[in-house]
Amino acid sequence: MEGATVEIEKAATILKLLGDKTRLTMVKMLDTNDYCVCEFVEIFQMSQPAISQHLRKLKDAGVVRETRRGQWIIYSLNKESEYYPFVQSLLHHLPNQDFRLKELEEQGLRISCD
Amino acid sequence: MEGATVEIEKAATILKLLGDKTRLTMVKMLDTNDYCVCEFVEIFQMSQPAISQHLRKLKDAGVVRETRRGQWIIYSLNKESEYYPFVQSLLHHLPNQDFRLKELEEQGLRISCD
DNA sequence: TGTTTATATAAGCAAATTATTATATATTAA
DNA sequence: TTAATATATAATAATTTGCTTATATAAACA
């Protein structure tokens, strides 16, 4: 096995966090692009507080991090996390979600630019 | 990426299931050995119905399966599951739990024999 | 400055989760 | 056949989760 082992308790915490369709999709999307909150609101057709709360959980666990860019707060995967390799290897099994970015762009709603 | 992709929704279901310390430990243990219900009861110091309910969830999702051996019901990882490769790759990141089996044996409480 | 836009936080609530206790079922053994 | 053992299921209670609405904060812009 490559990479260090993840303590069972911490692994369970991360898996529970990713065991939600919205958060799992977010994290898969963040694996290839950065997004701001309002883009997620658009994509998931969910209220802004609901999206913020999902992102806060991911941030508290160190899975994602945020940077302010003007009035927007951009979220990205935290690749420095000691759990990143673990998360990564999960994401490899999931289907690409780039179609969601395409939809955003087609609607002229893309904001973050990497 | 090797192996087929797991639908996001199904992946979230499996991750939520494994996002519980008890179930995650069970599955990691089952990756190398089979166990009966009463062994798990001993190991986790939890009521028998609680253990049965965890196992039922894992069974309903197709992650584990059961075989009766006399009065015992032996649980094992379902390696035929289409999600087995996904589960496997998670388990690789977790620390070995063989010390739990050793403890069982030292207490003379080991029942299942593979 | 005041207004708009993007985001976060708090309070409250319904649904889901995880344990418990009590009871039913199935196999083994006396 | 009866008692003991292993397991499952049902009912229930406590806790957690994920949304909602209302409100606060912070940057941008007129």
Side-chain angles (χ1 to χ4, degrees), chain A residues 15-27:
Chain A
L15 296 180
K16 180 188 282 180
L17 212 68
L18 298 183
D20 172 277
K21 194 191 169 187
T22 302
R23 287 191 296 265
L24 185 60
T25 307
M26 283 175 162
V27 171

Side-chain angles (χ1 to χ4, degrees), chain A residues 14-39:
Chain A
I14 291 175
L15 296 180
K16 180 188 282 180
L17 212 68
L18 298 183
D20 172 277
K21 194 191 169 187
T22 302
R23 287 191 296 265
L24 185 60
T25 307
M26 283 175 162
V27 171
K28 177 66 181 182
M29 291 174 66
L30 290 171
D31 194 30
T32 46
N33 293 94
D34 295 349
Y35 290 90
C36 70
V37 179
C38 63
E39 289 171 322

Side-chain angles (χ1 to χ4, degrees), chain B residues 51-90:
Chain B
I51 296 293
S52 273
Q53 282 157 23
H54 280 305
L55 288 168
R56 183 153 56 110
K57 285 179 187 180
L58 291 170
K59 195 185 68 177
D60 287 351
V63 173
V64 308
R65 48 177 193 196
E66 50 173 50
T67 344
R68 182 174 277 280
R69 183 138 72 208
Q71 62 192 139
W72 297 286
I73 293 182
I74 309 295
Y75 281 86
S76 55
L77 261 203
N78 178 7
K79 297 185 169 143
E80 268 74 51
S81 161
E82 68 175 298
Y83 307 113
Y84 178 65
F86 179 52
V87 171
Q88 262 285 352
S89 78
L90 297 188

Side-chain angles (χ1 to χ4, degrees), chain A residues 1 5-6 89-90 92-93 95, chain B residues 1 5-6 89-90 92-93 95:
Chain A
M1 205 208 72
T5 241
V6 178
S89 78
L90 296 188
H92 281 141
H93 292 265
Chain B
M1 206 209 72
T5 243
V6 178
S89 78
L90 297 188
H92 279 141
H93 292 264

Side-chain angles (χ1 to χ4, degrees), chain A:
Chain A
M1 205 208 72
E2 17 54 70
T5 241
V6 178
E7 213 190 329
I8 285 253
E9 201 147 349
K10 183 69 186 188
T13 302
I14 291 175
L15 296 180
K16 180 188 282 180
L17 212 68
L18 298 183
D20 172 277
K21 194 191 169 187
T22 302
R23 287 191 296 265
L24 185 60
T25 307
M26 283 175 162
V27 171
K28 177 66 181 182
M29 291 174 66
L30 290 171
D31 194 30
T32 46
N33 293 94
D34 295 349
Y35 290 90
C36 70
V37 179
C38 63
E39 289 171 322
F40 282 132
V41 169
E42 189 57 42
I43 287 164
F44 293 107
Q45 293 290 303
M46 204 176 273
S47 76
Q48 176 266 313
I51 295 293
S52 273
Q53 284 159 20
H54 280 305
L55 287 168
R56 181 152 59 108
K57 286 180 187 180
L58 291 171
K59 195 185 67 176
D60 287 351
V63 174
V64 307
R65 52 181 186 192
E66 50 173 51
T67 344
R68 182 174 278 279
R69 182 137 74 208
Q71 62 193 138
W72 296 285
I73 293 182
I74 308 297
Y75 280 87
S76 55
L77 261 203
N78 177 8
K79 295 183 172 147
E80 269 74 50
S81 162
E82 67 174 301
Y83 307 113
Y84 177 65
F86 180 51
V87 171
Q88 262 285 351
S89 78
L90 296 188
L91 297 182
H92 281 141
H93 292 265
L94 306 181
N96 191 289
Q97 300 294 305
D98 285 355
F99 71 95
R100 295 181 187 272
L101 178 56
K102 283 227 178 69
E103 278 173 25
L104 262 193
E105 283 165 347
E106 281 161 11
Q107 296 177 267
L109 296 169
R110 177 63 172 164
I111 284 161
S112 332
C113 26
D114 326 61

Side-chain angles (χ1 to χ4, degrees), chain B residues 15-34:
Chain B
L15 295 179
K16 180 187 282 180
L17 212 67
L18 298 183
D20 173 276
K21 194 190 168 187
T22 303
R23 286 192 297 265
L24 185 60
T25 307
M26 282 174 162
V27 171
K28 177 67 182 180
M29 291 173 67
L30 291 172
D31 194 28
T32 45
N33 293 94
D34 295 349

